[in-house]
């Protein structure tokens, strides 16, 4: 996760600058998916975001003015229009009411500071141990390693493994796509590209 830039943790001083925070941009590294006007979906990685806009790395280009609907980890559904091209992707302006922008500002504050201030991880989903804890991870270069699932939730997992890919790297776990978010004594912690259904999760990850 990138260091916090314009946003600050929610202290009284930060609360006083709430209006400015609505438009502050933060360097992030969040996975998601987006749909173009032709209704085709593609994966994406959000690298810069504010309550009013986002910059995305994507495998396909989008034309200026095109309407985009995206589903982004931690953020949820956002929609907007492409306003400019960037290297490897594009930037959108986010269409959202004031209330949703305020909520988005709060989430971005947490994302920007959870590593800097050692804030607790997002634990929206209970953790459990799957019936079959054995699985396999595949790195971007195709290398494969057997590993064991320590615990699992609908949004992420802790894995016991000897190999430790760099934080931020996308890997495959079974049939699941995930991103490395932390190194542990026993291995790595990952978060999934999308929140999963429990039954399908156990089936696809083992």
């Amino acid at each position: 996760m990138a260091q916090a830039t314009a946003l600050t943790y929610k202290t009284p001083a930060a609360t006083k600058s709430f209006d400015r925070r609505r438009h502050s941009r933060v360097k992030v590294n969040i996975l998601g998916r987006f749909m173009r006007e032709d209704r085709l979906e593609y994966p994406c990685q959000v690298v810069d975001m504010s309550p009013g806009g986002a910059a995305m790395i994507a495998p396909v280009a989008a034309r200026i003015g095109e309407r985009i609907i995206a589903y982004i980890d931690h953020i949820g559904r956002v929609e907007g229009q492409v306003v400019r091209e960037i290297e490897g992707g594009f930037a959108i302006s986010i269409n959202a009411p004031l209330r949703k922008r305020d909520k988005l500002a709060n989430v971005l504050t947490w994302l920007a500071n959870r590593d800097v201030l050692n804030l607790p991880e997002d634990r929206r989903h209970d953790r459990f141990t799957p019936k079959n804890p054995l699985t396999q991870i595949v790195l971007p270069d195709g290398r494969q390693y057997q590993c064991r699932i320590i615990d699992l939730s609908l949004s992420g997992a802790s894995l016991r493994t000897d190999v430790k890919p760099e934080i931020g790297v996308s890997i495959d776990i079974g049939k699941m796509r995930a991103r490395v978010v932390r190194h542990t004594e026993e291995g790595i912690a990952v978060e999934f590209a999308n929140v999963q259904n429990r039954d399908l999760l156990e089936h696809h990850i083992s």
Side-chain angles (χ1 to χ4, degrees):
M1 180 65 65
Q3 298 291 313
T5 54
L7 295 188
T8 55
Y9 187 52
K10 292 185 69 177
T11 62
T15 302
K16 291 179 181 179
S17 61
F18 191 72
D19 288 337
R20 176 180 59 81
R21 190 165 58 100
R22 287 176 182 159
H23 304 286
S24 300
R25 287 192 170 273
V26 174
K27 298 294 183 183
V28 293
N29 182 9
I30 317 174
L31 298 179
R33 297 188 65 81
F34 71 94
M35 182 173 66
R36 299 184 59 186
E37 289 181 351
D38 59 10
R39 305 191 70 81
L40 294 178
E41 289 192 10
Y42 303 91
C44 65
Q45 178 183 355
V46 180
V47 295
D48 180 282
M49 193 169 191
S50 77
M56 302 179 178
I57 303 301
V60 297
R63 69 177 187 277
I64 304 298
E66 183 173 1
R67 181 171 175 264
I68 296 292
I69 298 176
Y71 296 87
I72 304 169
D73 290 357
H74 302 292
I75 302 297
R77 183 183 188 275
V78 297
E79 64 176 271
Q81 289 183 313
V82 177
V83 292
R84 68 179 183 278
E85 296 179 353
I86 64 172
E87 183 177 358
F90 53 87
I92 65 170
S93 61
I94 295 175
N95 300 326
L98 182 59
R99 182 177 180 182
K100 185 169 184 177
R101 288 175 185 257
D102 290 346
K103 289 182 178 180
L104 182 53
N106 289 333
V107 175
L108 289 172
T109 299
W110 177 80
L111 287 172
N113 290 281
R114 64 175 179 172
D115 291 336
V116 176
L117 301 179
N118 197 28
L119 298 178
E121 289 188 51
D122 185 8
R123 294 282 179 159
R124 295 170 294 173
H125 304 107
D126 294 334
R127 292 189 169 250
F128 61 95
T129 301
K131 296 175 183 178
N132 178 10
L134 299 180
T135 189
Q136 175 181 269
I137 62 174
V138 182
L139 304 189
D141 62 7
R143 286 180 293 164
Q144 303 177 11
Y145 298 91
Q146 299 297 317
C147 64
R148 178 177 290 271
I149 302 168
I150 300 173
D151 59 45
L152 184 65
S153 80
L154 301 186
S155 57
S158 294
L159 306 176
R160 181 178 292 117
T161 176
D162 293 330
V163 62
K164 295 185 178 182
E166 292 184 8
I167 293 174
V169 168
S170 294
I171 63 174
D172 291 327
I173 307 174
K175 297 179 181 179
M176 304 289 299
R177 189 70 170 169
R179 180 169 63 92
V180 178
V181 294
R182 191 175 74 254
H183 290 164
T184 67
E185 291 185 3
E186 296 180 292
I188 58 175
V190 302
E191 63 180 12
F192 301 130
N194 297 289
V195 175
Q196 305 297 318
N197 170 280
R198 177 164 176 166
D199 292 337
L200 289 177
L201 175 58
E202 288 209 49
H203 176 71
H204 288 156
I205 198 171
S206 298

